[in-house]
Amino acid sequence: MTSMISHAQALQALRPGADAPMRADGLAVNDLLERFHPDYGAKARVSLRIGANAGAPCHPALAGLLESNALIDDLDLAGAEPLATDVLVIGGGGAGAAAAVTAAMRGARVIIATKLRIGDSNTVMAEGGIQAAVGADDSLQRHYEDTLRGGHNEGDRALIAQMVSDAPEVIRWLIDLGMAFDLAEDKALGSTLLRKKAGGTTASRILCHRDFTGLEMMRVLREAVELQRGIEQLNRCPAVELLSHDDGSCAGAILYDLERRSFVLVRARAVVLATGGSGRLHLQGFPTSNHYGATADGLVLAYRLGARMCDLDSFQYHPTGVAHPRHLAGGLISESARSAGAHLLNGLGERFVDELKPRDVVAAAILRECAEGRGIARDGQTGVFLDARALVAADPDILETRLVSLGHLAAKCGLDPRQEPFLVYPTLHYQNGGVMIDGDGATSVPGLLCAGEVSGGIHGRNRLMGNALLDIISFGRRAGTRAAESLGQRQAGRGGINHVHRWRRALAQAELPADVRAPLLYPSYGNFHLRRTAAA
Amino acid sequence: MNTLNQVLLNPAFQLGADLDGWRAAGGGQGLDAALADPGAIIATLEAADLRGMGGAGFPTHRKWAAAAAAPAPDGDKYVVCNGNEDEPGTFKDRHLLRWTPHQVIEGALIAAVAIRANRVVLYINPHQAEGRAQMRRAAQQWAGTEAVRRIERLIGKPLEIAVVATSGRYIGGEETAVISSLEGGFPFPRRKPPFPAESGCHGAPTLINNTETLANVPHILHHGAAWYRGLGVGDAAGTKLYSLSGDVLLPGLYELPMGTSLHDLIFVHGGGMLEGKAFKGVFTGGPSNTLLTARDLDVALDFDSVRLRRSRLGTGAMIVISEGTSIVRKVAEYIEFFANGSCGQCPSCKAGTFQMARLLDRVDSGRAGPGDIAALRNLCRILPGSGRCGLIDGAVTVVESSLHTFPAEYGVAEPAPAETA
Ligand SMILES: Cc1cc2nc3c(=O)[nH]c(=O)nc-3n(C[C@H](O)[C@H](O)[C@H](O)COP(=O)(O)OP(=O)(O)OC[C@H]3O[C@@H](n4cnc5c(N)ncnc54)[C@H](O)[C@@H]3O)c2cc1C
Ligand SMILES: Cc1cc2nc3c(=O)[nH]c(=O)nc-3n(C[C@H](O)[C@H](O)[C@H](O)COP(=O)(O)O)c2cc1C
């Protein structure tokens, strides 16, 4: 255990009124990342042994799930309630809702299946905002370059180009659905959208609704799902396996109805997986900002059916997760606090990084402070300070106007942001990689599309703030459109789980255990077991 | 017995359309032997006890003898290689067509010699695009060869080798449907008699054999009947391609001695049951036969031995089912396949397969009423024998057998008295 500076001592080191000094850093960005970012280092990756990405790197905990056995047997399908539809959307976050609404508007019959209820998702938790190059001083080209650079030049250029080009239309679509964005001037008519700057961007490009943008977005999407004809919702029905045709294409999915405790078999011409991320895997013991449903289910299901993935060893650790009090650990303090001018300080009261650098750099810098003894300890939790005192002093209304959630969070943490800084520590936030898609969300498995955080390739190995909310609507709509095109193309035939049998053979031949079962559906501390009767 | 046979799947023969390579590997000698003594061919096949591998196990020499003896009114006789293969669980012919086209074509040429046929038709499922392309190329390679000239001298006519695409439908593989199809019509089966060997394509005598049957012929002529018989286990003769699939660790195409036991196929060659689950049963032969169960694991997989267990070897397809896999669901899947495959000519088959599929779907999805099982049983009683071809009979057999052997999966406690009797 490295030594830490106590909370009381650290408070004393704060210089009231004065600007905190920036410590000369002395470490090149690459060095910093390699030595301190959790994506690097010995525990960060193994090679997958079976499946479409065999030989490719993957985080060990995720690999354990990807190379796992199915939850169900063929026999479970007997007696399952059979449903049929044109398009099955799995996941009720922003990507899923956008896909469902778009497909239904094009005449497809849609079923949207969610693990909890529609809207219980990472989308509602998004605070900061959404990127779109709509300012006169901005351009699609700059948005493209920022995104590519932010992702360490690893993102798929065609996907990025398409996404940034979609952005203005995405905003228009959301406004048409009724979403409210913050405005630059306080006028009833003729005002322009308020634009904020985000880490890693060269222009002010973040559009937001206060600091609960995702909640507002999900509000209108959820209404659209409710009101749009042709969408049937199956809430509390997590997908436990996909269905396949003999040619390996996707034929639908098997859901587990939590209320009736029975399986539901949905045959579909096209399936859109929009199950979001994997923060609840708590990789390397990190806390997470993600909601309870973020257990990598979509990756597991798609991989078992043969979908190709990318960057499975790349995750985003958000620099400023709550570190104290313990029961709130991992919860996010939005980047909007730093965009507005909040500073990061170590136990010596020094700034140690430009707060608006890309997230991986800022997170690594915080981990370095803690590793090198300049971190702050409080009741067994460690971290650094996020200091918003000067900010609030300069604009006393800000907690009621632009940083509403920050004010609420401070209250929950039992501190007054005017007086005292937050204790923060990086939190597992976003899955950079995922299922590889084309511009329409199509995967390497016919009949299976993906949209949102479950897909990969867009953000390279690091995502910029505000690009996820853009991604989910841009690709969610495109996947919905493409899925609706499959209408009338292929007969929704009887599907089966032959791919599971093939998978079990591959497991046995690679001498991988057959008793690890996934998707997880809920984190282990959720105490959920598909079969209550099992000894588990 | 746990050795692999290496005749049809001999790695040296897996060449694709390469006639020189095939000759270098020993190909062509069967045809030479046939041309040296055409009158002895059929007797050799009889001595070798070669059976039809297309499903029925009918003695090949009897068909050939009938076709040889049949007069040819317009001077034409046909040899048709049936390469339509399109059943759940069977995947042997597609391999032979793709990888050993010359082995197959040489067999067909020997048949032409034996029955004096001037038209050889290679009838290939277009869904197996690569197999069809290889067969096309391979057929062209025979044109103008000395062997073909010798055949033409023997039959006194030009020899035509044509590669024809089937409709790609399951029913198109039934032999009288093959004939309708070659005549340019829909692949509708016809009533027999007349048998194709007497009056087939455009009324000409037509010998139709399965791809695997023909692939055996060159080797028999080359190495002799005694050698071929010796490849089998006990009384069973020759070598067999088994298409192993289902809940086993190592599914695949295995060439084994005819008469290898079911146990050895699954547990020695197939690597045992997937995840070590308990064995439940096997759908054999293109799933249109009586299910084999744990009691039958010792059965020798040859035509006669399997028949003694009241089932059939069929095409040699073995779809293995373990605990955890639903029999009803599988049966429902197969009957749906048959219902889609029914050509619709015979009302009993068209409506019968559809009704059975509907009832099975209800049982499978837990929506069956008490009358549904009784309805299934009634259909099993009235449908058999009501169609022009064997499709409806096969479909009924698998339903009846699963109902009889696995009543609990249908939610029935005991087999009905009429069936136990
Ligand atoms: C705290 C927080 C703040 C964020 N802030 C921002 C921000 O300011 N700007 C930005 O651009 N991005 C932000 N992000 C990222 C962004 O919110 C997400 O990446 C994005 O919303 C993901 O959308 P999605 O539709 O792909 O997934 P989600 O919104 O997570 O939805 C996935 C849905 O699928 C369901 N699901 C999962 N498994 C199954 C299953 N087996 N069966 C059925 N349903 C299943 C889940 O329950 C959930 O409803 C933030 C993320 C978090 C966690
Ligand atoms: C519905 C039906 C479909 C058939 N399909 C095929 C087929 O695809 N290929 C095949 O060789 N035989 C098939 N048969 C068997 C043929 O009718 C015929 O018996 C066989 O081609 C004869 O060749 P063999 O004596 O060499 O086995 C089918 C039979 C039925 C009843």
Side-chain angles (χ1 to χ4, degrees):
Chain A
M1 188 72 201
T2 19
S3 62
M4 293 281 165
I5 295 165
S6 78
H7 185 246
Q9 256 178 306
L11 284 179
Q12 275 169 13
L14 294 177
R15 272 148 273 206
D19 260 357
M22 173 75 91
R23 190 182 79 240
D25 186 18
L27 214 54
V29 165
N30 277 346
D31 258 5
L32 179 69
L33 289 176
E34 264 169 42
R35 287 181 45 199
F36 297 104
H37 194 279
D39 271 1
Y40 300 77
K43 281 184 287 180
R45 58 184 53 71
V46 293
S47 270
L48 286 168
R49 287 155 66 186
I50 60 172
N53 279 47
C58 177
H59 190 282
L62 181 56
L65 294 182
L66 293 184
E67 296 176 326
S68 69
N69 202 345
L71 292 175
I72 57 155
D73 264 328
D74 204 56
L75 205 54
D76 295 318
L77 309 192
E81 179 188 358
L83 299 175
T85 185
D86 295 323
V87 176
L88 170 65
V89 176
I90 302 174
V101 169
T102 313
M105 288 198 312
R106 301 198 168 231
R109 287 173 307 147
V110 177
I111 290 180
I112 181 165
T114 69
K115 178 146 69 179
L116 302 160
R117 289 163 309 173
I118 186 158
D120 286 336
S121 62
N122 277 352
T123 301
V124 288
M125 303 171 78
E127 305 183 334
I130 175 169
Q131 288 207 34
V134 295
D137 56 344
D138 197 0
S139 70
L140 299 183
Q141 183 68 31
R142 290 175 77 160
H143 190 178
Y144 170 85
E145 281 164 8
D146 288 347
T147 303
L148 187 62
R149 187 166 11 83
H152 301 301
N153 292 312
E154 302 270 353
D156 179 315
R157 287 154 201 253
L159 295 182
I160 298 173
Q162 181 184 294
M163 178 182 80
V164 303
S165 311
D166 276 355
E169 171 56 26
V170 161
I171 302 301
R172 197 170 295 125
W173 189 71
L174 289 169
I175 291 173
D176 282 349
L177 287 184
M179 181 166 172
F181 285 95
D182 286 356
L183 301 176
E185 308 94 26
D186 191 13
K187 296 195 280 189
L189 281 176
S191 179
T192 49
L193 296 169
L194 176 72
R195 293 180 290 121
K196 294 191 297 195
K197 195 157 174 337
T201 63
T202 57
S204 298
R205 193 183 295 132
I206 296 282
L207 312 179
C208 60
H209 179 87
R210 312 286 176 84
D211 59 355
F212 45 92
T213 312
L215 188 61
E216 169 67 5
M217 178 186 279
M218 200 66 230
R219 177 185 70 80
V220 300
L221 285 171
R222 183 184 160 163
E223 265 170 19
V225 168
E226 303 274 358
L227 295 176
Q228 176 64 45
R229 286 168 68 107
I231 304 182
E232 185 187 341
Q233 290 183 45
L234 297 181
N235 284 317
R236 296 183 200 81
C237 286
V240 296
E241 194 58 61
L242 294 172
L243 282 171
S244 60
H245 292 295
D246 282 346
D247 62 3
S249 61
C250 184
I254 301 149
L255 315 176
Y256 186 72
D257 185 325
L258 293 169
E259 282 166 27
R260 289 191 288 160
R261 302 211 145 267
S262 62
F263 291 99
V264 181
L265 206 147
V266 185
R267 297 175 194 165
R269 290 194 166 83
V271 172
V272 181
L273 259 189
T275 49
S278 53
R280 289 281 158 181
L281 300 187
H282 295 290
L283 303 180
Q284 292 171 49
F286 271 86
T288 184
S289 63
N290 286 191
H291 81 122
Y292 277 90
T295 50
D297 300 353
L299 297 184
V300 170
L301 299 182
Y303 196 63
R304 201 172 281 149
L305 189 50
R308 264 198 294 283
M309 318 245 157
C310 63
D311 301 321
L312 295 173
D313 54 346
S314 173
F315 296 83
Q316 184 167 82
Y317 294 81
H318 193 289
T320 54
V322 173
H324 186 274
R326 187 194 206 100
H327 68 274
L328 294 177
L332 197 71
I333 302 181
S334 160
E335 187 171 326
S336 49
R338 278 174 294 135
S339 324
H343 285 167
L344 289 170
L345 304 173
N346 65 18
L348 306 173
E350 306 165 325
R351 287 177 68 198
F352 48 89
V353 67
D354 171 358
E355 288 82 356
L356 294 184
K357 279 257 161 49
R359 288 178 175 171
D360 50 353
V361 175
V362 179
I366 295 174
L367 292 171
R368 177 188 177 197
E369 293 309 296
C370 295
E372 294 182 349
R374 296 183 295 275
I376 301 161
R378 183 175 190 189
D379 305 339
Q381 301 289 99
T382 59
V384 298
F385 280 147
L386 178 72
D387 184 7
R389 290 173 306 161
L391 197 64
V392 185
D395 177 1
D397 284 345
I398 196 163
L399 294 178
E400 279 78 49
T401 55
R402 284 165 53 199
L403 298 179
V404 181
S405 299
L406 190 71
H408 290 176
L409 189 62
K412 280 203 264 179
C413 291
L415 60 80
D416 176 357
R418 271 168 278 256
Q419 308 291 333
E420 188 187 333
F422 293 88
L423 190 66
V424 299
Y425 189 78
T427 179
L428 178 54
H429 186 56
Y430 188 79
Q431 157 191 303
N432 292 322
V435 184
M436 287 173 79
I437 54 170
D438 71 7
D440 289 333
T443 68
S444 59
V445 175
L448 180 67
L449 300 111
C450 282
E453 193 167 339
V454 71
S455 64
I458 301 157
H459 308 289
R461 297 181 71 84
N462 180 53
R463 175 179 66 83
L464 297 184
M465 169 192 181
N467 265 348
L469 288 183
L470 171 58
D471 157 6
I472 64 176
I473 305 299
S474 163
F475 286 94
R477 291 177 70 202
R478 285 180 179 270
T481 305
R482 171 71 172 270
E485 274 168 17
S486 61
L487 214 154
Q489 266 180 17
R490 203 154 36 84
Q491 191 57 41
R494 172 183 281 273
I497 56 166
N498 274 337
H499 68 286
V500 171
H501 300 305
R502 281 198 295 277
W503 188 254
R504 286 178 173 154
R505 274 177 210 119
L507 285 176
Q509 278 164 316
E511 294 179 3
L512 287 159
D515 56 349
V516 181
R517 305 220 174 223
L520 288 183
L521 307 181
Y522 300 94
S524 54
Y525 42 82
N527 259 326
F528 169 80
H529 302 287
L530 195 61
R531 288 177 180 68
R532 288 267 174 214
T533 48
Chain B
M1 174 73 68
N2 58 16
T3 49
L4 285 170
N5 267 348
Q6 302 261 294
V7 182
L8 304 177
L9 298 188
N10 186 335
F13 300 155
Q14 314 299 306
L15 300 162
D18 174 0
L19 187 53
D20 295 336
W22 166 242
R23 287 222 171 92
Q29 299 187 41
L31 179 55
D32 289 345
L35 281 164
D37 189 359
I41 299 173
I42 294 176
T44 304
L45 296 188
E46 181 173 6
D49 195 17
L50 177 65
R51 309 284 197 95
M53 308 293 184
F58 189 77
T60 303
H61 71 93
R62 290 196 9 218
K63 258 199 219 176
W64 288 35
D74 300 324
D76 279 344
K77 278 196 190 182
Y78 287 82
V79 167
V80 179
C81 166
N82 191 345
N84 187 60
E85 186 174 77
D86 175 47
E87 291 167 318
T90 304
F91 40 83
K92 61 191 184 68
D93 295 344
R94 68 197 66 185
H95 179 96
L96 296 173
L97 298 169
R98 164 69 183 83
W99 295 103
T100 71
H102 288 299
Q103 182 169 254
V104 176
I105 294 174
E106 190 175 327
L109 293 178
I110 294 171
V113 172
I115 71 163
R116 307 291 195 273
N118 59 327
R119 293 181 187 277
V120 172
V121 179
L122 308 166
Y123 179 73
I124 317 292
N125 193 324
H127 296 143
Q128 289 139 35
E130 191 50 30
R132 189 154 71 113
Q134 293 291 337
M135 286 297 279
R136 259 217 204 97
R137 227 170 299 147
Q140 282 161 5
Q141 290 169 354
W142 282 94
T145 56
E146 175 56 23
V148 165
R149 277 201 296 277
R150 285 175 69 195
I151 299 174
E152 289 177 335
R153 279 200 294 278
L154 178 77
I155 62 178
K157 273 189 237 138
L159 178 75
E160 185 188 273
I161 308 178
V163 177
V164 175
T166 75
S167 57
R169 313 297 302 237
Y170 167 62
I171 196 70
E174 194 281 333
E175 57 183 2
T176 60
V178 172
I179 288 163
S180 309
S181 201
L182 291 177
E183 289 175 353
F186 287 111
F188 283 162
R190 304 171 177 178
R191 292 206 180 278
K192 292 186 276 195
F195 289 97
E198 286 143 19
S199 170
C201 211
H202 301 292
T206 303
L207 172 64
I208 302 177
N209 272 125
N210 171 256
T211 302
E212 183 188 355
T213 313
L214 291 173
N216 276 296
V217 170
H219 304 289
I220 296 173
L221 272 284
H222 180 189
H223 298 290
W227 165 83
Y228 185 76
R229 290 196 66 109
L231 294 174
V233 182
D235 283 346
T239 182
K240 181 78 191 95
L241 296 180
Y242 296 100
S243 308
L244 179 65
S245 64
D247 303 332
V248 294
L249 180 59
L250 305 169
L253 185 60
Y254 291 92
E255 182 180 6
L256 298 171
M258 180 73 94
T260 299
S261 76
L262 179 60
H263 176 275
D264 284 0
L265 177 63
I266 296 173
F267 291 96
V268 177
H269 302 283
M273 302 299 291
L274 189 54
E275 301 194 294
K277 287 197 178 144
F279 170 91
K280 204 147 105 175
V282 177
F283 291 95
T284 74
S288 49
N289 298 304
T290 300
L291 278 139
L292 296 174
T293 60
R295 277 192 315 219
D296 302 311
L297 275 172
D298 62 330
V299 68
L301 295 175
D302 61 68
F303 291 106
D304 300 335
S305 306
V306 178
R307 194 169 280 248
L308 287 177
R309 309 285 171 114
R310 306 204 315 192
S311 183
R312 287 162 194 262
L313 181 61
T315 61
M318 299 288 145
I319 305 173
V320 181
I321 305 299
S322 70
E323 285 310 330
T325 296
S326 155
I327 294 277
V328 177
R329 198 177 156 74
K330 286 286 167 197
V331 172
E333 221 169 81
Y334 301 145
I335 300 306
E336 190 169 289
F337 171 83
F338 290 128
N340 287 333
S342 171
C343 74
Q345 284 189 106
C346 310
S348 60
C349 174
K350 178 181 176 179
T353 50
F354 174 78
Q355 282 300 343
M356 288 201 296
R358 224 176 49 120
L359 291 167
L360 286 163
D361 206 40
R362 291 235 287 265
V363 179
D364 176 34
S365 53
R367 291 171 300 152
D372 288 342
I373 303 289
L376 263 180
R377 287 214 163 97
N378 284 335
L379 286 171
C380 290
R381 252 193 300 276
I382 58 180
L383 290 175
S386 61
R388 248 162 257 235
C389 77
L391 189 144
I392 185 67
D393 301 348
V396 167
T397 306
V398 72
V399 173
E400 194 171 26
S401 140
S402 62
L403 253 168
H404 179 77
T405 319
F406 297 98
E409 299 211 14
Y410 283 87
V412 184
E414 286 294 314
E419 285 176 6
T420 40

